[in-house]
């Protein structure tokens, strides 16, 4: 029996993005929003507040003197950086809230964070001003695996085993076996979440960067970062990887 991408997403018991992120997105969607309203939303979550202040006071930004208020941090970083920080943290919560008998979630998380860090480094070397955006894109680039392993675990596992045994790209095996691949599912899921087009297009096309002309540099960077990630044996624990988000 055939199954569609829409059915996979519908059947999967995925968590939705946290309310804090949805509230922040709602605020940023108002053409007349203020930085104070953004700071008010952030301040409702102590963990994200702490992460924001650690980020803005890191040597990476080099602000002097130290910044000790959320409103000042938002003003210095800008709303795009703040949005991406909250989204990255929200996605981390989605990841840690999922489990599967056929998927090693710890390995999935390590791989996602590794790709995110590498994407950011490559973007910096390519002199992309918004390299933090590539961090979030790297974190999300494989998210299509999650609904597939929850909704069609047997087929997904079979595709993975075949890709390994035949030494072929997983997305091509998934298309042959299932009719679609994890990148297509991930792009559709992110569209359902109403995430920015720049993010879901990277997830959708990172396996075949030549298929779209939009965000071509970002997608090419993700293609390289993903290829490197898949070829690296990761040994760090998830707790160590989380440091890169902070």
């Amino acid at each position: 029996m055939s199954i569609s991408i829409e059915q996979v997403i519908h059947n999967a018991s995925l968590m939705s993005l946290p309310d804090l992120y949805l509230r922040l997105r709602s605020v940023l969607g108002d053409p007349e929003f203020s930085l104070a309203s953004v700071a008010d939303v952030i301040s409702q979550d102590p963990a994200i507040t702490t992460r924001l202040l650690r980020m803005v006071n890191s040597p990476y930004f080099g602000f002097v003197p130290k910044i000790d208020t959320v409103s000042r941090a938002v003003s210095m970083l800008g709303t795009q950086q703040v949005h991406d920080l909250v989204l990255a943290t929200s996605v981390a919560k989605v990841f840690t809230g999922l489990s599967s008998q056929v998927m090693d979630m710890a390995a999935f998380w390590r791989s996602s964070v590794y790709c995110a860090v590498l994407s950011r480094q490559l973007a910096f070397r390519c002199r992309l001003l918004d390299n933090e955006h590539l961090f979030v894109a790297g974190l999300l680039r494989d998210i299509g695996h999650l609904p597939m392993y929850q909704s069609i675990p047997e087929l997904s596992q079979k595709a993975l085993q075949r890709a390994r045994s035949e030494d072929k790209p997983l997305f091509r095996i998934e298309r042959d076996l299932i009719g679609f691949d994890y990148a297509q599912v991930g792009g559709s899921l992110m569209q359902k979440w109403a995430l920015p087009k720049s993010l879901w297009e990277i997830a959708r096309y990172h396996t075949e960067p030549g298929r779209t002309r939009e965000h071509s540099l970002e997608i090419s960077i993700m293609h390289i970062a993903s290829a490197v990630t898949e070829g690296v044996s990761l040994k760090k624990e998830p707790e160590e990887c989380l440091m890169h988000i902070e």
Side-chain angles (χ1 to χ4, degrees):
M1 186 177 80
S2 62
I3 187 169
S4 67
I5 292 177
E6 291 73 21
Q7 288 173 312
V8 166
I9 295 175
H10 177 77
N11 293 341
S13 57
L14 279 171
M15 297 168 58
S16 61
L17 289 171
D19 289 340
L20 179 76
Y21 172 73
L22 298 179
R23 289 199 299 273
L24 176 62
R25 193 168 67 189
S26 176
V27 168
L28 294 177
D30 183 348
E32 299 181 0
F33 80 87
S34 65
L35 294 182
S37 61
V38 174
D40 287 342
V41 173
I42 301 298
S43 299
Q44 295 173 23
D45 189 307
I48 291 182
T49 297
T50 300
R51 188 160 289 165
L52 175 65
L53 292 175
R54 289 180 63 180
M55 178 181 180
V56 75
N57 286 303
S58 69
Y60 180 80
F61 291 99
F63 293 133
V64 178
K66 293 294 184 180
I67 296 170
D68 58 3
T69 66
V70 174
S71 58
R72 180 65 174 159
V74 171
S75 175
M76 297 301 292
L77 289 179
T79 54
Q80 184 63 59
Q81 289 262 29
V82 172
H83 167 274
D84 288 351
L85 172 69
V86 175
L87 177 57
T89 306
S90 299
V91 170
K93 291 180 180 179
V94 172
F95 284 0
T96 55
L98 295 171
S99 62
S100 174
Q101 295 180 345
V102 295
M103 189 173 193
D104 185 342
M105 289 303 301
F108 178 82
W109 172 237
R110 287 195 298 268
S111 175
S112 297
V113 175
Y114 185 94
C115 186
V117 173
L118 180 56
S119 300
R120 178 169 57 190
Q121 291 174 340
L122 290 174
F124 180 77
R125 289 181 178 273
C126 291
R127 300 188 179 185
L128 281 179
L129 295 178
D130 194 11
N131 52 70
E132 288 296 321
H133 197 60
L134 266 291
F135 179 91
V136 181
L139 199 65
L140 291 168
R141 68 88 167 68
D142 270 0
I143 199 172
H145 285 306
L146 300 181
M148 290 179 69
Y149 270 90
Q150 288 198 323
S151 185
I152 47 172
E154 294 83 6
L155 280 174
S156 298
Q157 187 70 10
K158 185 176 180 180
L160 180 61
Q161 292 170 348
R162 267 186 54 183
R164 288 173 176 172
S165 63
E166 299 178 15
D167 194 24
K168 294 181 179 179
L170 176 58
F171 77 94
R172 296 196 183 280
I173 298 297
E174 287 177 339
R175 288 183 188 176
D176 291 341
L177 186 64
I178 306 172
F180 50 83
D181 62 73
Y182 74 91
Q184 294 169 320
V185 173
S188 296
L189 175 61
M190 292 164 68
Q191 280 185 277
K192 181 179 180 181
W193 279 349
L195 296 188
K197 185 178 181 180
S198 59
L199 288 175
W200 66 254
E201 278 215 337
I202 292 175
R204 170 65 182 82
Y205 294 108
H206 79 274
T207 55
E208 299 175 296
R211 295 194 62 188
T212 178
R213 294 183 179 180
E214 292 193 63
H215 313 291
S216 57
L217 178 55
E218 292 88 344
I219 292 173
S220 296
I221 287 173
M222 193 59 57
H223 179 74
I224 295 171
S226 182
V228 172
T229 299
E230 291 172 5
V232 171
S233 176
L234 298 174
K235 297 181 180 180
K236 291 184 178 181
E237 293 302 313
E239 291 76 12
E240 295 178 77
C241 294
L242 278 169
M243 294 173 61
H244 294 294
I245 296 181
E246 302 171 350

